[in-house]
């Protein structure tokens, strides 16, 4: 029944006047999302913090819940992982990697005592690992074959399955020194605690049509990753089939640890020409899969700053591993008092992260950002399903 929301706060913060901007802000619900604590800084510091991640799992020794969080600190130069054994009330903080170089897109994956954090540094993906619940960490080392040879490699999803195998999903860009242009979408997996890795290609996306809304290839390809209780892998990603085309939302699955993948399926019911961004994915049980994304079908966005455009957050479910899907449900909803929220949608996505999770009762929890523009102002929004 405890739900954790961890997000990035920009600008002044009444809860922490001395905190840097941005910094990681935590809210906790003790009753499955009906009520929430006041926002508070996760780890107050005067320097900036970026790209917070949070994962709840179980301590195998005690059977009790344990929560891990990851943040990039000091102008994205150092990676920290925090652990809480009391439901997020107190945290211990460990410096995992003091690389003192620009990092981006950290991804946290944890199950029991196995904790992994992957991140981009330069044009490679590095992974740090702990197999004692965060008490000690391996040194950062690049995953072989995650250097796209030309452009950046950016992780965007991570899981640990019931056997202890870890997998990360990532985009490998093919334009010299940039995160733009065409991109290969991969899943890289290790069955020996991160000592060795195998990589499989899921899809190739030509360059998705860029927006002038700000950001770093803001609408570019991104791939989410999930695993069910039978250790089948699922991916959801936005990609196009022609250079400069709009991104659609695609789903695929693997029953052999990512060695082979099913034929991708377009899971959006939006009309052709609709922009699709920011996939989110969760799975459990025997093929119980939940997916969500954002698109602008309610008002097509011609460049990223069209005031008549409308975005929404959409959600679907599958009970058979993606062989069939429910109808679409709109998670975003108009709310009085917010200048970007209208009856038919919101002005712009705010932030480039979006997450789904499934609790022990089978209910879905979703969290995303809406705002007036890429740069804000904006807010973090949350929704939960009424039934499993």
């Amino acid at each position: 029944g405890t739900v954790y929301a961890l997000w990035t706060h920009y600008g002044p913060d009444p809860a922490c006047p001395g905190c840097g901007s941005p910094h990681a802000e935590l809210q906790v619900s003790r009753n499955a999302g009906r009520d929430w604590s006041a926002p508070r800084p996760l780890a107050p510091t005067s320097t900036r913090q970026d790209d917070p991640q949070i994962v709840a799992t179980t301590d195998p020794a005690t059977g009790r819940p344990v929560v891990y969080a990851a943040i990039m600190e000091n102008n994205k130069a150092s990676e920290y992982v925090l652990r809480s054994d009391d439901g997020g009330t107190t945290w211990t903080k460990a410096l995992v990697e003091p690389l003192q170089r620009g990092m981006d897109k950290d991804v946290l994956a944890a199950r029991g005592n196995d904790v992994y954090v992957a991140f981009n540094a330069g044009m490679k993906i590095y992974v740090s690992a702990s197999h004692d619940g965060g008490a000690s960490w391996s040194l950062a080392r690049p995953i072989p074959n995650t250097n796209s040879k030309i452009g950046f490699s950016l992780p965007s999803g991570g899981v640990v399955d019931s056997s202890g195998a870890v997998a990360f999903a990532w985009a490998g860009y093919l334009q010299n020194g940039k995160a733009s242009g065409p991109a290969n979408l991969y899943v890289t997996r290790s069955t020996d605690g991160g000592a060795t890795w195998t990589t499989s290609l899921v899809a190739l996306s030509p360059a998705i049509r860029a927006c002038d809304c700000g950001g770093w290839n803001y609408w570019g390809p991104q791939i989410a990753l999930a695993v069910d209780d039978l250790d089948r892998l699922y991916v959801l990603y936005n990609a196009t089939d022609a250079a400069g085309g709009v991104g659609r939302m695609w789903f695929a699955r693997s029953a052999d640890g990512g060695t082979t993948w099913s034929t991708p399926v377009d899971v959006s019911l939006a009309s052709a020409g609709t922009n699709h961004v920011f996939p989110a994915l969760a799975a459990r049980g025997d093929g119980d899969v939940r997916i969500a994304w954002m698109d602008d079908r309610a008002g097509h966005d011609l460049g990223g700053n069209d005031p008549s455009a409308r975005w929404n957050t959409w959600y679907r479910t599958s009970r058979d591993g993606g062989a069939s899907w429910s109808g679409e449900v709109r998670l975003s909803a108009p709310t009085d008092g917010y200048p970007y929220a209208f009856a038919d949608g919101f002005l712009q996505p705010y932030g480039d992260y979006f997450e789904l999770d499934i609790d022990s009762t089978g209910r879905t929890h979703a969290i995303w950002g809406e705002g007036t523009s890429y740069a804000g102002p904006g807010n973090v929004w949350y929704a939960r399903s009424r039934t499993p």
Side-chain angles (χ1 to χ4, degrees):
T2 303
V3 187
Y4 305 90
L6 185 63
W7 41 274
T8 306
H9 179 97
Y10 287 82
D13 180 5
C16 186
C19 278
S21 177
H23 62 268
E25 198 90 346
L26 176 71
Q27 288 186 258
V28 180
S29 172
R30 306 294 183 190
N31 55 10
R34 290 187 294 274
D35 303 293
W36 290 85
S37 67
R40 66 181 177 88
L42 173 71
T45 177
S46 60
T47 189
R48 69 177 290 161
Q49 298 171 332
D50 291 272
D51 294 0
Q53 298 270 297
I54 193 163
V55 175
T57 183
T58 302
D59 187 324
T62 65
R64 294 182 58 80
V66 57
V67 188
Y68 296 98
I71 49 175
M72 295 184 299
E73 199 167 279
N74 271 339
N75 201 28
K76 301 184 181 181
S78 299
E79 184 74 34
Y80 287 87
V81 173
L82 300 91
R83 172 175 170 147
S84 177
D85 292 281
D86 56 9
T89 301
T90 61
W91 297 81
T92 57
K93 182 180 178 183
L95 176 61
V96 176
E97 296 300 342
L99 288 181
Q100 295 301 309
R101 61 185 297 188
M103 298 188 298
D104 199 12
K105 301 295 181 189
D106 60 343
V107 173
L108 179 68
R111 191 177 186 124
N113 282 329
D114 295 318
V115 190
Y116 298 85
V117 59
F119 49 88
N120 163 265
M123 290 184 283
K124 296 182 180 181
I125 294 175
Y126 289 78
V127 174
S128 301
S130 174
H131 301 295
D132 53 13
S136 62
W137 289 85
S138 67
L139 295 176
R141 54 187 168 189
I143 299 178
N145 302 321
T146 57
N147 186 342
S148 61
K149 307 298 184 185
I150 300 175
F152 278 83
S153 299
L154 300 178
S156 53
V159 296
V160 182
D161 70 19
S162 66
S163 73
V166 60
F168 289 103
W170 55 284
Y173 283 92
L174 303 176
Q175 185 166 327
N176 187 28
K178 297 180 179 179
S180 59
N184 288 318
L185 300 177
Y186 296 101
V187 169
T188 296
R189 184 171 180 260
S190 175
T191 60
D192 55 10
T196 61
W197 299 83
T198 57
T199 295
S200 62
L201 176 65
V202 178
L204 167 64
S205 175
I208 290 177
R209 187 184 72 182
C211 72
D212 58 2
C213 49
W216 197 32
N217 196 25
Y218 192 43
W219 290 355
Q222 192 178 97
I223 179 169
L225 178 66
V227 65
D228 69 13
D229 292 344
L230 300 184
D231 294 339
R232 291 173 294 202
L233 294 172
Y234 304 94
V235 291
L236 184 71
Y237 59 92
N238 60 312
T240 186
D241 57 5
V246 299
R248 298 292 298 187
M249 198 59 58
W250 300 90
F251 171 86
R253 62 183 180 271
S254 175
D256 56 12
T259 301
T260 60
W261 293 90
S262 64
T263 301
V265 176
D266 184 345
V267 289
S268 172
L269 301 181
S271 61
T274 300
N275 293 292
H276 292 73
V277 297
F278 308 140
L281 175 65
R284 66 162 194 164
D286 182 3
D288 180 356
V289 185
R290 326 282 175 93
I291 63 174
W293 67 90
M294 298 182 194
D295 70 45
D296 64 352
R297 72 181 74 177
H300 186 60
D301 195 325
L302 300 179
N305 55 8
D306 183 349
S308 66
R310 296 290 183 267
W311 289 81
N312 279 288
T313 303
W314 297 93
Y315 170 78
R316 299 186 81 177
T317 63
S318 174
R319 304 301 184 186
D320 53 16
S324 62
W325 293 94
S326 69
E328 294 178 334
V329 176
R330 190 175 78 155
L331 300 185
S332 46
T335 306
D336 291 339
Y338 294 87
Y340 52 77
F342 301 89
D344 55 350
F346 54 89
L347 287 179
Q348 284 288 335
Y350 184 51
D352 49 4
Y353 285 95
F354 172 28
E355 190 166 350
L356 291 182
D357 215 333
I358 304 172
D359 69 20
S360 59
T361 70
R363 288 178 171 81
T364 308
H365 302 263
I367 186 170
W368 68 94
E370 302 176 10
T372 56
S373 69
Y374 166 87
N379 298 91
V380 177
W381 292 90
Y382 161 83
R384 63 188 174 95
S385 61
R386 295 187 177 92
T387 58

